[in-house]
Amino acid sequence: MPAEARTDVLVVGAGPAGLSAALAAAQSGAAVLLADLSPGPGGQIWRGATANDGGESGSLLREVQSQPNITLLYGAQVALTEMVPGTGRVVQFSGPHGPHRVVPEKIILATGATERFLPFPGWTLPGVVGAGGLQAMVKSGLDVRGARVLVAGSGPLLLAVATGLREHGAKVLAVAEQASLPQLLGFGLAAQRSGKAGEGARLLSSLRGVPYWPSTFPVRASGAGRLERVQLGGLVRRTLDCDWLAVGFGLVPDTRLAALFGCALEGDAVKVGAWQQTSQAGIYAAGELTGIGGVDKARLEGLMAGCAATGQVGRLRDLPTQLEHAHRFQASLSRSFAPRPPLQRLPEADTLVCRCEDVSHAALQTCTSWTEAKLQTRCGMGTCQGRVCGPATETLYGWTFAGVRPPLLPLPLSDLLEDSLKGDPL
């Protein structure tokens, strides 16, 4: 694409929500630019998906790629954005092919979610990785055949990760779920009402022989330079020798880009109206960043956002009823797998909470807010810009993550220099 382009609709994020939004918008005849930081489509849940795949992901990708008015831009991150008089909102992307400036009429944000990491002694050891992170590594070619893996944390993702690891030859030692048995039973009933119980049953069936321990969580990881063993606490108290610990305490909406655009938040998600409209005119949001709810919710919200952004009112008639069911399931998911109080007591005084800046739990206990922590300790000012420690401090201390500023990720200085030489306001 040219270094500067206009488009009717800009969709940021090529997971299920973004793909659905781009397709719906393109079916109106609008020119659509679909951009994603990853080298290909699918987001985290469909990472590595292609149009040749069977099932839902392959079908949707084939439809998207068949639309001549959808331009795909992969490996690109939003670097800067600004309202320019006489031009409108300008969004600059940075990527391997240099900066691209886009002037969209409408924007649909579908940036998905990130894993919630909660610090405990030893969580920074090599071999301790995010549950979704290890899943992505395996999809990208990591050989785990014969490796002893403990899957721990919270949420349905753990079952999917454990199943995938087992299919790739790993020896899954157990799944340790911090949610209590009553919480899990409540979620099971909600899943049954939503028609999702079959999927969970299939995952559990594929994990036959693998212990599933509720009210159980890692309290310490240890080893000489690399993970060797994990100590579990809660209902099941034992120490397991292992090669990998795949741990993630659920997902949190990735609202950083929405905050950069000035969109209002509600809790930890982007606040949207009836048609996925955010608080900013012409900007819509869909998928996990409006609340964690799974693929069905993401696709429905993407469809609604794509139709609403392009004036396809007739197609919106039945969507609110379908979304109501998806949102009820979302609420049950949030209740059932919310981090329980014992997790707040996992870090010891010298446990790192911000691993980018080596900020310990003891240093943060004297602070009263996220802003004070940044000023006093540099928490959140490292490479990840608070993506890891932000959600962790919300859970541990009840702080509200704030202070999002561009760029959201490290940016090549050459991209900034190019704009500077042009005398560009960006």
Side-chain angles (χ1 to χ4, degrees), residues 274-322:
W275 308 116
Q276 304 305 124
Q277 169 73 56
T278 71
S279 62
Q280 293 293 314
I283 301 182
Y284 302 78
E288 302 288 57
L289 82 161
T290 69
I292 306 302
V295 172
D296 292 345
K297 168 185 170 292
R299 291 205 59 183
L300 285 170
E301 289 188 350
L303 172 59
M304 180 174 284
C307 290
T310 51
Q312 301 178 75
V313 180
R315 298 181 65 184
L316 299 174
R317 189 174 297 110
D318 298 327
L319 288 180
T321 301
Q322 297 178 54

